[in-house]
Amino acid sequence: MTDPTLARLHHAALIATLVVLCLFSAEPALDIALSSRFLDPQGVFALRGNPAITTLNDSLRWGLTAFALLAVALPVLARTRGFTPRSGLAGWHFLATVFVIGPGLIVNGILKAYAGRARPADIIEFGGTRQFTPVLQISDQCSQNCSFSSGEVAMTATFAFALLALTWPHLPKPRRWLAVVAAAALIGASLLLRVGMGRHFTSDALASVAISAFVVMGGYRLFNLGTARHQMTWQAIHSDGLALSGHLQRRFQRLAAQMRRLLPLVTAERR
């Protein structure tokens, strides 16, 4: 049975994506105009050299990377080490899949590797040496880790959309809109950081938001999340966290014990 809410979200995301792509394709200079808003009087991206902004950006990136790795590792541990999460495997498979396919395969594996769009700070208009490339055009102005699209924004948007999908039935109705606002604020903050630091154009960031939305909605259908997410309660996740930490602690203790047994042998060999 088709989920009417998911269908409406799918239609809204499709319309919003088409509007954004048409707008930036028809007016390529809009990307440059929006990026120029973040220049200081010397013509340098003001947020790029700010230590506090750099720390915030790095903290967000590494925090989301750690979360994505956990989402991928937990199903692997469940299958290889006999760990059975109380929160069920479907939700974790959903998280692992959307992170691997969205930010991993589509954005970093394909688009950033082959689109060839130079980053804002590297183009002639902002003091660099590269030519500006309008959105959706393949270019040779960048050979690797290019501007289109934004990996960090894709990670942030995937995290926000996936958590909304998983936690929605567990949130009291008055808090649902608060969760939506918080998700939008997180995505918006990531977008402003990447554009303000001269690392991405606005269209790069918005494209990543759209990719993440479609991947999450596809994962929702693939893993029947409308039913599976009811098993992922806060209590179940907390219990899984304790069990997983205990499992990893025991593994570490066994590894440490093996190292202590091997150390005298290694020392004797050196003598």
Side-chain angles (χ1 to χ4, degrees), residues 149-166:
S149 61
S150 172
E152 285 86 350
V153 174
M155 286 280 285
T156 306
T158 299
F159 172 81
F161 293 146
L163 255 63
L164 276 178
L166 284 169

PDB file of all heavy atoms in Angstrom, residues 149-166:
ATOM      1  N   SER A 149      28.704  17.546  -5.917  1.00  0.00           N
ATOM      2  CA  SER A 149      27.943  18.392  -4.997  1.00  0.00           C
ATOM      3  C   SER A 149      28.616  18.333  -3.619  1.00  0.00           C
ATOM      4  O   SER A 149      29.717  17.808  -3.520  1.00  0.00           O
ATOM      5  CB  SER A 149      26.494  17.933  -4.926  1.00  0.00           C
ATOM      6  OG  SER A 149      26.402  16.607  -4.448  1.00  0.00           O
ATOM      7  N   SER A 150      27.960  18.832  -2.581  1.00  0.00           N
ATOM      8  CA  SER A 150      28.600  18.936  -1.280  1.00  0.00           C
ATOM      9  C   SER A 150      28.478  17.650  -0.464  1.00  0.00           C
ATOM     10  O   SER A 150      27.368  17.225  -0.127  1.00  0.00           O
ATOM     11  CB  SER A 150      27.985  20.098  -0.499  1.00  0.00           C
ATOM     12  OG  SER A 150      28.450  20.103   0.833  1.00  0.00           O
ATOM     13  N   GLY A 151      29.605  17.052  -0.129  1.00  0.00           N
ATOM     14  CA  GLY A 151      29.593  15.848   0.691  1.00  0.00           C
ATOM     15  C   GLY A 151      29.135  16.109   2.108  1.00  0.00           C
ATOM     16  O   GLY A 151      28.368  15.326   2.687  1.00  0.00           O
ATOM     17  N   GLU A 152      29.594  17.230   2.697  1.00  0.00           N
ATOM     18  CA  GLU A 152      29.209  17.556   4.071  1.00  0.00           C
ATOM     19  C   GLU A 152      27.716  17.823   4.192  1.00  0.00           C
ATOM     20  O   GLU A 152      27.067  17.359   5.126  1.00  0.00           O
ATOM     21  CB  GLU A 152      30.004  18.770   4.574  1.00  0.00           C
ATOM     22  CG  GLU A 152      31.437  18.470   4.928  1.00  0.00           C
ATOM     23  CD  GLU A 152      32.345  18.555   3.700  1.00  0.00           C
ATOM     24  OE1 GLU A 152      31.813  18.650   2.560  1.00  0.00           O
ATOM     25  OE2 GLU A 152      33.580  18.514   3.880  1.00  0.00           O
ATOM     26  N   VAL A 153      27.170  18.577   3.243  1.00  0.00           N
ATOM     27  CA  VAL A 153      25.729  18.854   3.286  1.00  0.00           C
ATOM     28  C   VAL A 153      24.940  17.576   3.062  1.00  0.00           C
ATOM     29  O   VAL A 153      23.892  17.354   3.680  1.00  0.00           O
ATOM     30  CB  VAL A 153      25.350  19.933   2.249  1.00  0.00           C
ATOM     31  CG1 VAL A 153      23.833  20.123   2.199  1.00  0.00           C
ATOM     32  CG2 VAL A 153      26.015  21.259   2.595  1.00  0.00           C
ATOM     33  N   ALA A 154      25.432  16.691   2.189  1.00  0.00           N
ATOM     34  CA  ALA A 154      24.763  15.405   1.964  1.00  0.00           C
ATOM     35  C   ALA A 154      24.747  14.579   3.246  1.00  0.00           C
ATOM     36  O   ALA A 154      23.733  13.946   3.574  1.00  0.00           O
ATOM     37  CB  ALA A 154      25.452  14.640   0.838  1.00  0.00           C
ATOM     38  N   MET A 155      25.859  14.568   3.974  1.00  0.00           N
ATOM     39  CA  MET A 155      25.922  13.841   5.242  1.00  0.00           C
ATOM     40  C   MET A 155      24.921  14.425   6.238  1.00  0.00           C
ATOM     41  O   MET A 155      24.188  13.694   6.911  1.00  0.00           O
ATOM     42  CB  MET A 155      27.336  13.922   5.811  1.00  0.00           C
ATOM     43  CG  MET A 155      28.344  13.065   5.100  1.00  0.00           C
ATOM     44  SD  MET A 155      28.274  11.335   5.591  1.00  0.00           S
ATOM     45  CE  MET A 155      29.044  11.419   7.202  1.00  0.00           C
ATOM     46  N   THR A 156      24.903  15.753   6.348  1.00  0.00           N
ATOM     47  CA  THR A 156      24.020  16.418   7.304  1.00  0.00           C
ATOM     48  C   THR A 156      22.560  16.177   6.955  1.00  0.00           C
ATOM     49  O   THR A 156      21.744  15.858   7.830  1.00  0.00           O
ATOM     50  CB  THR A 156      24.308  17.928   7.331  1.00  0.00           C
ATOM     51  OG1 THR A 156      25.693  18.145   7.583  1.00  0.00           O
ATOM     52  CG2 THR A 156      23.492  18.614   8.421  1.00  0.00           C
ATOM     53  N   ALA A 157      22.214  16.347   5.682  1.00  0.00           N
ATOM     54  CA  ALA A 157      20.828  16.171   5.264  1.00  0.00           C
ATOM     55  C   ALA A 157      20.384  14.717   5.412  1.00  0.00           C
ATOM     56  O   ALA A 157      19.250  14.445   5.840  1.00  0.00           O
ATOM     57  CB  ALA A 157      20.651  16.628   3.819  1.00  0.00           C
ATOM     58  N   THR A 158      21.253  13.776   5.087  1.00  0.00           N
ATOM     59  CA  THR A 158      20.922  12.366   5.256  1.00  0.00           C
ATOM     60  C   THR A 158      20.671  12.049   6.727  1.00  0.00           C
ATOM     61  O   THR A 158      19.703  11.358   7.070  1.00  0.00           O
ATOM     62  CB  THR A 158      22.060  11.476   4.719  1.00  0.00           C
ATOM     63  OG1 THR A 158      22.219  11.730   3.321  1.00  0.00           O
ATOM     64  CG2 THR A 158      21.755  10.004   4.926  1.00  0.00           C
ATOM     65  N   PHE A 159      21.525  12.546   7.590  1.00  0.00           N
ATOM     66  CA  PHE A 159      21.361  12.358   9.038  1.00  0.00           C
ATOM     67  C   PHE A 159      20.026  12.933   9.498  1.00  0.00           C
ATOM     68  O   PHE A 159      19.256  12.268  10.207  1.00  0.00           O
ATOM     69  CB  PHE A 159      22.516  13.042   9.758  1.00  0.00           C
ATOM     70  CG  PHE A 159      22.391  13.103  11.249  1.00  0.00           C
ATOM     71  CD1 PHE A 159      22.729  12.010  12.034  1.00  0.00           C
ATOM     72  CD2 PHE A 159      21.939  14.254  11.873  1.00  0.00           C
ATOM     73  CE1 PHE A 159      22.617  12.062  13.419  1.00  0.00           C
ATOM     74  CE2 PHE A 159      21.829  14.320  13.248  1.00  0.00           C
ATOM     75  CZ  PHE A 159      22.161  13.222  14.031  1.00  0.00           C
ATOM     76  N   ALA A 160      19.734  14.163   9.099  1.00  0.00           N
ATOM     77  CA  ALA A 160      18.508  14.828   9.551  1.00  0.00           C
ATOM     78  C   ALA A 160      17.255  14.135   9.027  1.00  0.00           C
ATOM     79  O   ALA A 160      16.315  13.857   9.784  1.00  0.00           O
ATOM     80  CB  ALA A 160      18.532  16.293   9.116  1.00  0.00           C
ATOM     81  N   PHE A 161      17.222  13.844   7.729  1.00  0.00           N
ATOM     82  CA  PHE A 161      16.037  13.207   7.143  1.00  0.00           C
ATOM     83  C   PHE A 161      15.841  11.791   7.683  1.00  0.00           C
ATOM     84  O   PHE A 161      14.712  11.368   7.967  1.00  0.00           O
ATOM     85  CB  PHE A 161      16.166  13.166   5.616  1.00  0.00           C
ATOM     86  CG  PHE A 161      16.121  14.508   4.943  1.00  0.00           C
ATOM     87  CD1 PHE A 161      16.865  14.767   3.793  1.00  0.00           C
ATOM     88  CD2 PHE A 161      15.330  15.521   5.457  1.00  0.00           C
ATOM     89  CE1 PHE A 161      16.809  16.000   3.178  1.00  0.00           C
ATOM     90  CE2 PHE A 161      15.277  16.773   4.847  1.00  0.00           C
ATOM     91  CZ  PHE A 161      16.019  17.008   3.714  1.00  0.00           C
ATOM     92  N   ALA A 162      16.934  11.039   7.812  1.00  0.00           N
ATOM     93  CA  ALA A 162      16.832   9.657   8.294  1.00  0.00           C
ATOM     94  C   ALA A 162      16.342   9.613   9.740  1.00  0.00           C
ATOM     95  O   ALA A 162      15.499   8.774  10.088  1.00  0.00           O
ATOM     96  CB  ALA A 162      18.180   8.955   8.160  1.00  0.00           C
ATOM     97  N   LEU A 163      16.863  10.507  10.578  1.00  0.00           N
ATOM     98  CA  LEU A 163      16.421  10.516  11.971  1.00  0.00           C
ATOM     99  C   LEU A 163      14.967  10.952  12.095  1.00  0.00           C
ATOM    100  O   LEU A 163      14.229  10.428  12.939  1.00  0.00           O
ATOM    101  CB  LEU A 163      17.323  11.417  12.820  1.00  0.00           C
ATOM    102  CG  LEU A 163      18.297  10.638  13.719  1.00  0.00           C
ATOM    103  CD1 LEU A 163      19.262   9.829  12.866  1.00  0.00           C
ATOM    104  CD2 LEU A 163      19.046  11.567  14.651  1.00  0.00           C
ATOM    105  N   LEU A 164      14.551  11.884  11.268  1.00  0.00           N
ATOM    106  CA  LEU A 164      13.136  12.265  11.270  1.00  0.00           C
ATOM    107  C   LEU A 164      12.261  11.071  10.893  1.00  0.00           C
ATOM    108  O   LEU A 164      11.226  10.822  11.524  1.00  0.00           O
ATOM    109  CB  LEU A 164      12.889  13.419  10.293  1.00  0.00           C
ATOM    110  CG  LEU A 164      13.153  14.834  10.781  1.00  0.00           C
ATOM    111  CD1 LEU A 164      12.887  15.828   9.653  1.00  0.00           C
ATOM    112  CD2 LEU A 164      12.267  15.181  11.981  1.00  0.00           C
ATOM    113  N   ALA A 165      12.674  10.336   9.866  1.00  0.00           N
ATOM    114  CA  ALA A 165      11.894   9.180   9.424  1.00  0.00           C
ATOM    115  C   ALA A 165      11.813   8.114  10.511  1.00  0.00           C
ATOM    116  O   ALA A 165      10.765   7.493  10.718  1.00  0.00           O
ATOM    117  CB  ALA A 165      12.515   8.585   8.157  1.00  0.00           C
ATOM    118  N   LEU A 166      12.927   7.909  11.234  1.00  0.00           N
ATOM    119  CA  LEU A 166      12.964   6.866  12.253  1.00  0.00           C
ATOM    120  C   LEU A 166      12.220   7.247  13.530  1.00  0.00           C
ATOM    121  O   LEU A 166      11.577   6.414  14.163  1.00  0.00           O
ATOM    122  CB  LEU A 166      14.422   6.526  12.596  1.00  0.00           C
ATOM    123  CG  LEU A 166      15.190   5.681  11.577  1.00  0.00           C
ATOM    124  CD1 LEU A 166      16.670   5.649  11.919  1.00  0.00           C
ATOM    125  CD2 LEU A 166      14.636   4.261  11.528  1.00  0.00           C
TER     126      LEU A 166
END
